[in-house]
Amino acid sequence: MKTAIYPGSFDPCTNGHLDIIKRASTMFDKLIVVVLINPLKSYSFSISERRALLEKATMEMKNIEIDSYDGLLADYFTQRSDVDVIVKGLRATSDFEYEFQMAHTNKDLNPRAETVFIPASANTTFISSSMVKQVAMFGGDLSKYVPSVIHKEISTRLKAEFEEKKRLAALKQDL
Ligand code: COA
């Protein structure tokens, strides 16, 4: 039985992530999608919100587990003795350098941690979580960029966050 993990921030999960999840799930017996923290990023969704969105988006898929971890991916790998490989998606050559560095760092931290790359499907190569957030905050249509079951939830949540930011900025100007 081969098990892979697909790590990421998923802030929020997009059709690009779902493309990799669907395809990786046919290559392995089990795929664990793990929500992790990149300490250099600030997030719109909490870890539990990101997990819940992923759970809804993959509800129909049989061999998927959603998990989260507050720590190094290499340590998660060490703790899960059932995991064989890390899966990452590559959208363009611009992703390569960063992903290559992460793959080597993870292997250096845990020699068992091999990474395999799956090229993103052509229609998802331009999608990113921050692009989705920007479109949603200005009231744009997200339906082509995020899974349909979570599209309304993401739009509502991000619009509310943006309105709150604008309200706080206006308050500051009044001071
Ligand atoms: N389709 C669409 N978008 C994709 C994508 C795909 N196939 N693959 C990646 N992306 C996007 C994401 O939406 C995200 O967009 P954003 O920058 O606009 O938010 C961006 O590409 C980066 O994706 P992600 O894989 O989530 O990278 P990250 O830098 O946010 O997080 C972690 C990577 C969380 C896996 C990494 O930081 C980590 O392992 N953290 C734990 C601590 C650790 O071990 N650090 C690493 C030591 S090397």
Side-chain angles (χ1 to χ4, degrees), residues 9 16-17 20 37-38 41 71-73 91 98 127-130:
S9 294
H17 296 127
I20 302 295
I37 298 167
N38 176 347
K41 280 189 169 175
L72 286 173
L73 175 58
R91 289 166 299 170
Y98 175 63
I127 302 176
S128 76
S129 298
S130 16

Side-chain angles (χ1 to χ4, degrees), residues 6-12 14-17 19-20 36-39 41 43 71-74 88-91 95 98-99 101-102 105-106 109 120 124 127-131 133:
Y6 178 41
S9 294
F10 306 107
D11 185 53
T14 68
N15 282 342
H17 296 127
D19 161 56
I20 302 295
L36 286 149
I37 298 167
N38 176 347
K41 280 189 169 175
Y43 292 115
L72 286 173
L73 175 58
K88 295 293 301 248
L90 282 182
R91 289 166 299 170
D95 279 348
Y98 175 63
E99 293 296 347
Q101 193 185 20
M102 280 219 284
T105 309
N106 286 323
L109 292 167
T124 67
I127 302 176
S128 76
S129 298
S130 16
M131 172 272 232
K133 283 193 261 190

Side-chain angles (χ1 to χ4, degrees), residues 12 44-45 49 53 132-133 135-143 146 149-164:
S44 293
F45 295 87
E49 285 176 313
L53 289 170
V132 158
K133 283 193 261 190
V135 172
M137 283 178 179
F138 287 103
D141 180 10
L142 280 193
S143 55
V146 300
V149 282
I150 53 174
H151 142 238
K152 285 218 172 73
E153 201 172 330
I154 293 175
S155 302
T156 312
R157 172 71 172 66
L158 288 169
K159 253 187 251 165
E161 181 186 325
F162 192 47
E163 289 308 319
E164 181 60 9

